[in-house]
Amino acid sequence: MSIWNYAVTAHKPTNVTHSCVGNFTSPQELNLIIAKCTRIEIHMLTPQGLQPMLDVPIYGRIATLELFRPHGEVQDFLFIATERYKFCVLQWDPETSELVTRSMGDVSDRIGRPTDNGQIGIIDPDCRLIGLHLYDGLFKVIPFDNKGLLKEAFNIRLEELQVLDIKFLYGCSRPTIVVLYQDNKDARHVKTYEVSLKDKDFVEGPWSQNNLDNGADLLIPVPPPLSGVIIVGEETIVYCSATAFKAIPIRPSITRAYGRVDADGSRYLLGDHAGLLHLLVITHEKEKVTGLKIELLGETSIASTISYLDNAFVYVGSSYGDSQLIKLNLQADSKGSYVEVLERYVNLGPIVDFCVVDLERQGQGQVVTCSGAYKDGSLRVVRNGIGINEQASVELQGIKGMWSLRSSTDDAYDTFLVVSFISETRILAMNLEDELEETEIEGFDCQVQTLFCHDAVYNQLVQVTSNSVRLVSSISRELKNEWKAPLEYSINVATANASQVLLATGGGHLVYLEIGDGIISEVKHAQLEYEISCLDLNPIGENPNYSQLAAVGMWTDISVQIFSLPDLNLITKEHLGGEIIPRSVLLCSFEGISYLLCALGDGHLLNYILNMGTGELTDRKKVSLGTQPITLRTFSSKNATHVFAASDRPTVIYSSNKKLLYSNVNLKEVSHMCPFNSAAFPDSLAIAKEGELTIGTIDDIQKLHIRSIPLGGEHARRICHQEQTRSFAVCSLKYSQLSAEESEMYFIRLLDDQTFEFISTYALDTFECGCSILSCSFSDDGNVYYCVGTAYVLPEENEPTKGRILVFAVEEGKLQLIAEKETKGAVYSLNAFNGKLLAAINQKIQLYKWMLRDDGTRELQSECGHHGHILALYVQTRGDFIVVGDLMKSISLLIYKHEEGAIEERARDYNANWMSAVEILDDDIYLGAENNFNLFTVRKNSEGATDEERARLEVVGEYHLGEFVNRFRHGSLVMRLPDSEVGQIPTVIFGTVNGVIGIIASLPHEQYLFLEKLQTAMRKAIKGVGGLGHEHWRSFYNEKKTVDARNFLDGDLIESFLDLSRARMEEVSREVQVSVEELSKRVEELTRLH
């Protein structure tokens, strides 16, 4: 049964809704704070760019984000209000680097009509009060007391019902608001009011202004000395104050966002709906405003928010495209633009449609999304894990180890690749044709297996074999010195850096050598009680060539020990527990924190935080990476150091926000890896896998890899993949602004599924827009077709009365129209159904069969249909069952009767839900998403005693996702390994307006109950930012009711267990009475779902 579901985010929201700039983390630091609907990110401005400091979820959809500074404070506080009428004031705690809640509350009213134009939250510039416009006709005031804390809120009646914008004016002795509103004749005016905190009422303000531009919808308050307000319209911009009125005409545009450049408010950046960035300047003589000037700077993404940072750096946050960090130059470039884009921040939102495909045919799904909107539309290919892009490969069996070497100490690039086998060593190098070929280093012993080699100081190389340590000149390649192992012992394991060698022989002997110019000398020898299984002395201290510490892994007592160098004193001993020996240890440093990683023979990895001064190991964490022994190696990519764990499930370990993260590499088993940064293949890795040696570069290090395919200013609305023709069909939309009227043209475009190039196009008629697309085949016809459903959207009609179904075949890479069928409305959905075509047309479900005419051509012929919907927007089928998601009547279940050739309604959900997507989880359970950001599941009640019970779809699960879902699809983003628990769990992927890709997994009941206990314990352990409650946030919520979530778990909360400190983990572990190790293991299994 798919009743028990687990909802988790695979890709966090990327749609930037708000941003602000101020001194939040300290009085000296300049911060950019970004809201992505349900998350907040805090960045610090550094000479190197934006540095992330914190990224936290907010248990609410953010409606307002403002920084303010109460009297007497040296840094800013953050005010947040959510769409569900909660608010909080946050302060930065520099000790813990966390957000502290200064005050919080609920500002909902039991009566009141929520505003149509969105919530407005504003803060008086002198910090006397916070104003909120949440319900029509009411202005809510939260006053500050003299300590900067918030007092009880109250409402003031506001006569203006259709409010477009409200702002506080600067430089007023009493708090004063300016209101932009529309009257019942659709004219727009501005009024000012003073807020009297004593009388809890408005007093008529100093001025008002009637009959503005019909498109006026944005107010920009101007700070002193000028004060007043700028009113931005679609055709004019006006400056207005008690003493002045100035207006200038502008090119018709809708301004979406603004950012103030100077503290005195004389210059503003304006971003419009076409992504054009303008500079607005108020010209003035002393404090008298003389006029306005506007200048086009260039093009950016379509801005939802603009924050001017400093020194001409500007952050442009976008909901329709990638967000950007731009620099404004004094001189224009060759295209006349002053805008230079320095950084792009990927945004998948809004995901209007997507499909799940396995393009590499590796058994791993990739998601191809229709992302962005208007000119910023694109396709995005999203896949899990890190890809290796192969540059060269050579067949080699039985590799036992690999190391790269340079031909001199100061060389920028590696020259040699040493490959070790059981009874020999081969040396490869790049020749002049950039091919790998075999070469020799005369001083190396190549008749035996190499245990370790490394570049050494003074242009030397060091090679360790089972009987000696050889020091070789990297220039003449001749042997300079050799340390031989005692006759009765052979060397078993060894490690080295540029000036030190550490090796272990049988009998538990540990020998420490140091390298000089042409000399190699034994410094210290220690006798340990057991045999040694692995060693490391990777220098992570001050000196890059010399390590103060050595890590040693032991057989028998299964421990890892830290020794100090050069005296080989034991300073720490840590028992690993269990009976599996450590196979690889590594000292490494990420983001300034030192770690010891220890990999075991069964695919588990332990990590500890290492105190470089005392050698102490703390904060032990254990993860399972695979089932085979792991070898660890460091490598660098884009100036950061990462660790590669080679095993049957190769993984890259990296750090983000001071947390260790693990990302799987898209390769089957890897036995060895070493960095190979050669001139021909810069920043590459050499990888030994089943019978071959590959050299390749690595993708950006992140959990999800996203590739962007721009569509040249078009915006894809629907997508579908056809395996047989290796193609995608996309229904796309081009906006062109030739005249004042915007025109839209729809196209059906065919793309190659490997290169993503357009290979064929079919233009739809004027006013015709594509609504649905499907790849299918019909009974008695071996061909496969693309079917497209359209609607004619005519300006004078409320609802389309005409549409078409087009059937295309792909012939020699071209779209050929095979058949078309006119319909009496919009074809919102198409499904393949028992070898026929099922269409949802306005309020009707219609079934078509594919008929052969006498002349050999084919046509769609109507067979039967079913009325009874308001608008049938979303349809899914399984067998003879049809599940329909209606515009406003929730979910209904229809059945196709073969004998009668008719479609009948079997059952429906009688709640009023405005649907946004539906999916069938299994024969009896159907999943829906609706426009209040909730998910719910309904169950077919076939065992019901009465007809009435059987005719009702029973709601069995409810959950507030906080995201607007546009599409569900069955599939998975990860390779499903049948041996793991997770391999058997069915998953559905969803895509949302905020750019979230999420997974809904249907769990077995006992696992669900266990995780429910864990979720309850996590709620206690982790308090929501700003005192916002998790339980309240996840409760199903619409205008009519609020009920607790049921039969859905929040995977994001559960998986955050892995980020807790050890102490907090133990708290949770006591609460659920399961060991920390067991909890970590079970939660990690879940992270493998995405």
Side-chain angles (χ1 to χ4, degrees):
M1 291 291 276
S2 306
I3 293 182
W4 303 288
N5 289 296
Y6 178 89
V8 65
T9 307
H11 178 265
K12 291 176 189 160
T14 45
N15 161 9
V16 174
T17 49
H18 306 76
S19 67
C20 50
V21 173
N23 308 101
F24 183 66
T25 54
S26 92
Q28 290 76 41
E29 292 170 353
L30 190 66
N31 301 106
L32 170 69
I33 299 181
I34 300 170
K36 296 182 173 175
C37 191
T38 57
R39 294 190 79 84
I40 282 184
E41 289 178 13
I42 296 170
H43 298 260
M44 185 169 73
L45 197 62
T46 67
Q48 290 76 44
L50 289 173
Q51 179 190 328
M53 296 182 72
L54 188 68
D55 174 4
V56 288
I58 298 292
Y59 291 152
R61 288 173 60 91
I62 296 164
T64 304
L65 179 86
E66 292 284 345
L67 284 170
F68 66 97
R69 187 176 305 186
H71 297 292
E73 292 288 343
V74 290
Q75 63 201 71
D76 297 328
F77 294 166
L78 183 64
F79 172 77
I80 295 175
T82 73
E83 289 182 14
R84 281 169 78 172
Y85 309 111
K86 303 276 187 203
F87 73 87
C88 58
V89 173
L90 305 175
Q91 179 181 5
W92 180 257
D93 178 352
E95 297 295 302
T96 59
S97 297
E98 283 177 356
L99 297 170
V100 182
T101 308
R102 274 183 69 96
S103 46
M104 51 183 266
D106 185 320
V107 280
S108 59
D109 290 330
R110 280 217 292 283
I111 48 168
R113 182 172 175 279
T115 59
D116 286 341
N117 292 331
Q119 302 180 11
I120 297 172
I122 49 175
I123 299 175
D124 167 44
D126 295 322
C127 282
R128 292 164 289 196
L129 66 136
I130 293 175
L132 296 162
H133 183 247
L134 310 171
Y135 301 98
D136 288 343
L138 292 175
F139 184 72
K140 183 163 300 259
V141 173
I142 315 175
F144 284 98
D145 65 12
N146 46 18
K147 294 196 188 66
L149 293 168
L150 295 175
K151 298 194 291 200
E152 187 151 350
F154 59 85
N155 280 325
I156 303 178
R157 292 221 50 89
L158 185 64
E159 288 169 23
E160 290 70 40
L161 290 179
Q162 276 197 301
V163 170
L164 299 162
D165 199 3
I166 303 184
K167 292 288 195 307
F168 275 107
L169 287 176
Y170 285 90
C172 301
S173 54
R174 285 198 287 276
T176 306
I177 61 169
V178 50
V179 183
L180 171 66
Y181 65 98
Q182 183 167 313
D183 63 18
N184 47 18
K185 298 193 181 67
D186 288 353
R188 298 190 177 185
H189 320 286
V190 159
K191 240 180 165 169
T192 56
Y193 290 109
E194 285 181 2
V195 180
S196 162
L197 291 170
K198 203 163 74 250
D199 307 333
K200 301 193 173 179
D201 207 352
F202 287 138
V203 181
E204 278 294 314
W207 54 270
S208 64
Q209 181 70 45
N210 288 347
N211 298 323
L212 296 155
D213 176 347
N214 276 344
D217 65 351
L218 178 66
L219 297 174
I220 303 178
V222 180
L226 304 174
S227 299
V229 66
I230 296 167
I231 306 158
V232 182
E234 289 180 8
E235 291 172 354
T236 52
I237 294 179
V238 174
Y239 169 81
C240 212
S241 71
T243 56
F245 179 90
K246 300 280 180 224
I248 51 164
I250 54 168
R251 218 176 49 82
S253 71
I254 302 164
T255 302
R256 286 276 165 83
Y258 76 90
R260 188 169 83 204
V261 178
D262 309 296
D264 70 356
S266 56
R267 295 186 298 170
Y268 293 88
L269 293 168
L270 303 181
D272 75 3
H273 69 296
L276 297 178
L277 188 68
H278 286 86
L279 182 67
L280 176 68
V281 182
I282 304 178
T283 54
H284 57 102
E285 288 160 9
K286 297 224 168 65
E287 286 162 34
K288 180 169 178 282
V289 173
T290 55
L292 296 170
K293 283 203 318 230
I294 190 158
E295 183 182 358
L296 174 62
L297 298 177
E299 188 185 324
T300 64
S301 293
I302 300 170
S304 58
T305 165
I306 296 175
S307 289
Y308 182 84
L309 302 172
D310 205 2
N311 299 337
F313 288 95
V314 180
Y315 177 77
V316 177
S318 178
S319 298
Y320 293 139
D322 290 344
S323 296
Q324 296 168 323
L325 180 65
I326 62 171
K327 185 167 192 279
L328 300 176
N329 295 321
L330 292 168
Q331 257 65 51
D333 64 15
S334 57
K335 298 196 178 94
S337 166
Y338 295 90
V339 173
E340 178 188 353
V341 178
L342 302 176
E343 289 264 6
R344 297 185 78 93
Y345 305 98
V346 168
N347 170 24
L348 295 187
I351 299 174
V352 194
D353 192 10
F354 70 91
C355 58
V356 188
V357 291
D358 178 10
L359 296 180
E360 261 91 58
R361 299 186 166 172
Q362 290 182 331
Q364 172 171 10
Q366 302 183 18
V367 166
V368 183
T369 66
C370 296
S371 287
Y374 308 106
K375 77 168 184 71
D376 292 336
S378 64
L379 296 181
R380 304 287 169 118
V381 186
V382 183
R383 64 154 202 253
N384 183 298
I386 297 175
I388 302 281
N389 309 310
E390 197 171 298
Q391 311 277 351
S393 84
V394 49
E395 276 190 33
L396 281 175
Q397 298 286 346
I399 296 177
K400 292 286 172 224
M402 291 193 298
W403 301 268
S404 53
L405 301 174
R406 297 178 186 175
S407 46
S408 80
T409 310
D410 327 325
D411 249 13
Y413 291 113
D414 298 327
T415 310
F416 305 110
L417 186 61
V418 177
V419 186
S420 167
F421 302 89
I422 244 162
S423 57
E424 61 165 343
T425 297
R426 294 191 194 173
I427 296 154
L428 305 175
M430 303 305 287
N431 65 16
L432 298 171
E433 281 78 58
D434 288 341
E435 293 163 340
L436 269 186
E437 63 175 20
E438 230 172 292
T439 179
E440 284 185 2
I441 298 178
E442 288 76 13
F444 271 24
D445 180 353
C446 288
Q447 309 309 304
V448 293
Q449 177 178 348
T450 297
L451 297 177
F452 201 89
C453 51
H454 203 281
D455 297 303
V457 286
Y458 307 113
N459 294 333
Q460 301 177 120
L461 309 172
V462 60
Q463 178 199 25
V464 186
T465 63
S466 60
N467 47 26
S468 77
V469 179
R470 301 168 76 92
L471 193 60
V472 174
S473 157
S474 64
I475 295 160
S476 69
R477 306 191 187 182
E478 286 162 3
L479 180 67
K480 293 170 82 173
N481 205 322
E482 183 174 19
W483 178 91
K484 290 195 163 68
L487 284 174
E488 65 276 24
Y489 291 114
S490 70
I491 302 172
N492 296 334
V493 274
T495 184
N497 58 39
S499 63
Q500 299 164 291
V501 181
L502 188 65
L503 53 90
T505 69
H509 293 282
L510 185 62
V511 182
Y512 170 63
L513 315 169
E514 288 191 356
I515 298 170
D517 192 352
I519 47 178
I520 181 160
S521 46
E522 182 175 332
V523 177
K524 191 82 184 163
H525 158 244
Q527 166 74 53
L528 307 189
E529 46 190 326
Y530 303 114
E531 293 282 348
I532 293 159
S533 65
C534 50
L535 299 168
D536 186 59
L537 40 69
N538 181 31
I540 52 174
E542 298 299 301
N543 181 344
N545 291 333
Y546 189 91
S547 176
Q548 305 283 338
L549 299 176
V552 177
M554 304 295 290
W555 286 82
T556 318
D557 73 343
I558 306 201
S559 66
V560 57
Q561 309 184 1
I562 304 283
F563 288 83
S564 61
L565 297 176
D567 49 16
L568 278 192
N569 281 339
L570 175 63
I571 43 182
T572 307
K573 176 166 182 170
E574 173 80 22
H575 284 281
L576 305 176
E579 44 259 25
I580 311 290
I581 62 155
R583 282 298 185 89
S584 180
V585 283
L586 182 67
L587 300 161
C588 57
S589 158
F590 293 112
E591 296 190 287
I593 300 174
S594 303
Y595 294 90
L596 171 73
L597 303 183
C598 176
L600 307 183
D602 62 354
H604 277 91
L605 175 78
L606 298 164
N607 68 64
Y608 299 90
I609 289 181
L610 168 69
N611 179 326
M612 292 295 289
T614 62
E616 187 184 12
L617 297 173
T618 50
D619 224 23
R620 162 189 164 121
K621 294 204 170 140
K622 184 173 180 180
V623 298
S624 151
L625 297 184
T627 56
Q628 300 297 314
I630 297 174
T631 25
L632 301 169
R633 286 294 276 274
T634 56
F635 69 97
S636 42
S637 160
K638 307 235 160 81
N639 303 327
T641 300
H642 311 294
V643 172
F644 192 101
S647 77
D648 59 331
R649 281 210 283 216
T651 305
V652 168
I653 303 159
Y654 61 107
S655 173
S656 169
N657 283 335
K658 311 227 152 120
K659 291 190 194 115
L660 287 193
L661 299 174
Y662 306 89
S663 193
N664 56 316
V665 178
N666 292 333
L667 291 174
K668 302 274 193 291
E669 279 187 56
V670 170
S671 52
H672 295 278
M673 184 289 315
C674 83
F676 185 53
N677 177 21
S678 64
F681 300 127
D683 256 349
S684 299
L685 307 179
I687 290 170
K689 46 183 208 237
E690 202 56 32
E692 66 169 346
L693 166 63
T694 309
I695 291 177
T697 57
I698 194 158
D699 284 340
D700 285 347
I701 307 294
Q702 61 216 29
K703 187 120 175 132
L704 284 178
H705 182 259
I706 297 168
R707 173 174 160 209
S708 194
I709 289 114
L711 295 173
E714 281 183 33
H715 160 194
R717 302 279 308 166
R718 297 285 180 269
I719 184 167
C720 137
H721 183 242
Q722 200 167 74
E723 177 67 30
Q724 294 86 339
T725 57
R726 299 311 298 258
S727 65
F728 287 102
V730 169
C731 166
S732 73
L733 162 60
K734 198 174 189 72
Y735 293 88
S736 52
Q737 223 177 351
L738 297 170
S739 56
E741 285 294 298
E742 279 199 2
S743 69
E744 298 180 357
M745 266 302 285
Y746 275 83
F747 300 97
I748 307 303
R749 298 206 182 265
L750 190 68
L751 287 82
D752 179 289
D753 78 359
Q754 297 298 306
T755 64
F756 285 92
E757 281 162 7
F758 288 166
I759 44 183
S760 176
T761 296
Y762 180 89
L764 296 181
D765 294 345
T766 320
F767 297 123
E768 184 180 25
C769 72
C771 303
S772 50
I773 196 159
L774 167 75
S775 163
C776 69
S777 52
F778 296 105
S779 14
D780 310 325
D781 180 351
N783 301 314
V784 33
Y785 297 99
Y786 277 120
C787 301
V788 176
T790 74
Y792 286 89
V793 181
L794 303 170
E796 63 276 6
E797 291 183 352
N798 291 336
E799 204 49 66
T801 56
K802 177 179 165 214
R804 288 195 295 173
I805 297 174
L806 306 169
V807 182
F808 295 99
V810 179
E811 290 170 5
E812 287 159 11
K814 296 274 181 292
L815 281 173
Q816 298 290 348
L817 185 63
I818 304 294
E820 67 172 293
K821 181 82 180 169
E822 201 167 293
T823 60
K824 292 198 172 101
V827 185
Y828 288 116
S829 176
L830 289 172
N831 291 77
F833 188 72
N834 294 317
K836 299 171 185 169
L837 183 65
L838 186 74
I841 304 161
N842 283 16
Q843 56 275 34
K844 186 171 182 196
I845 301 289
Q846 187 79 38
L847 185 62
Y848 294 96
K849 48 190 179 191
W850 189 234
M851 301 299 287
L852 192 60
R853 291 203 198 97
D854 299 341
D855 62 2
T857 60
R858 296 195 175 255
E859 63 169 342
L860 286 171
Q861 214 176 37
S862 167
E863 181 182 330
C864 61
H866 177 266
H867 286 271
H869 306 275
I870 308 245
L871 282 182
L873 296 179
Y874 313 101
V875 178
Q876 296 292 345
T877 63
R878 185 166 180 147
D880 293 334
F881 286 106
I882 302 164
V883 172
V884 181
D886 190 86
L887 171 70
M888 48 204 280
K889 281 168 58 178
S890 196
I891 295 179
S892 50
L893 173 68
L894 313 177
I895 184 165
Y896 172 65
K897 299 275 183 76
H898 287 266
E899 305 77 64
E900 293 106 87
I903 296 173
E904 292 174 7
E905 181 176 303
R906 167 61 68 83
R908 63 161 357 117
D909 171 20
Y910 287 93
N911 293 304
N913 287 319
W914 293 63
M915 303 303 294
S916 69
V918 295
E919 187 52 89
I920 297 178
L921 294 180
D922 64 24
D923 288 343
D924 298 331
I925 309 277
Y926 316 125
L927 169 69
E930 52 82 84
N931 72 345
N932 284 299
F933 317 115
N934 299 304
L935 299 179
F936 64 100
T937 46
V938 293
R939 173 166 57 190
K940 174 173 95 200
N941 194 352
S942 33
E943 273 73 64
T946 65
D947 286 351
E948 196 233 353
E949 277 176 40
R950 286 194 292 273
R952 190 181 287 276
L953 291 175
E954 173 198 2
V955 177
V956 288
E958 294 174 293
Y959 182 73
H960 187 74
L961 184 66
E963 289 285 338
F964 190 99
V965 176
N966 274 322
R967 174 76 77 198
F968 294 114
R969 299 257 189 224
H970 284 279
S972 161
L973 273 168
V974 288
M975 283 207 194
R976 283 316 189 62
L977 298 156
D979 55 339
S980 71
E981 248 177 75
V982 186
Q984 313 304 323
I985 293 177
T987 54
V988 165
I989 301 176
F990 60 83
T992 80
V993 168
N994 285 321
V996 169
I997 294 176
I999 305 286
I1000 290 170
S1002 300
L1003 302 177
H1005 194 211
E1006 66 282 8
Q1007 191 179 1
Y1008 178 88
L1009 293 173
F1010 167 77
L1011 292 171
E1012 194 171 35
K1013 271 199 341 217
L1014 177 56
Q1015 174 172 283
T1016 310
M1018 290 292 294
R1019 272 181 180 156
K1020 286 187 192 158
I1022 298 185
K1023 286 288 167 260
V1025 172
L1028 294 165
H1030 180 264
E1031 215 155 333
H1032 176 265
W1033 162 234
R1034 291 305 184 192
S1035 59
F1036 183 101
Y1037 164 84
N1038 61 21
E1039 294 87 31
K1040 295 199 179 57
K1041 64 171 189 180
T1042 302
V1043 295
D1044 280 348
R1046 59 186 172 122
N1047 289 336
F1048 275 97
L1049 294 177
D1050 183 352
D1052 296 343
L1053 176 65
I1054 290 171
E1055 290 177 17
S1056 65
F1057 174 79
L1058 299 173
D1059 303 332
L1060 295 179
S1061 66
R1062 184 74 195 195
R1064 304 284 286 284
M1065 282 183 167
E1066 277 160 1
E1067 250 172 72
V1068 174
S1069 147
R1070 279 195 295 277
E1071 185 78 27
V1072 293
Q1073 298 172 340
V1074 177
S1075 74
V1076 172
E1077 260 66 34
E1078 176 65 12
L1079 279 177
S1080 299
K1081 180 167 167 281
R1082 294 191 67 166
V1083 174
E1084 242 150 56
E1085 276 281 294
L1086 289 168
T1087 62
R1088 296 252 161 80
L1089 285 168
H1090 54 93

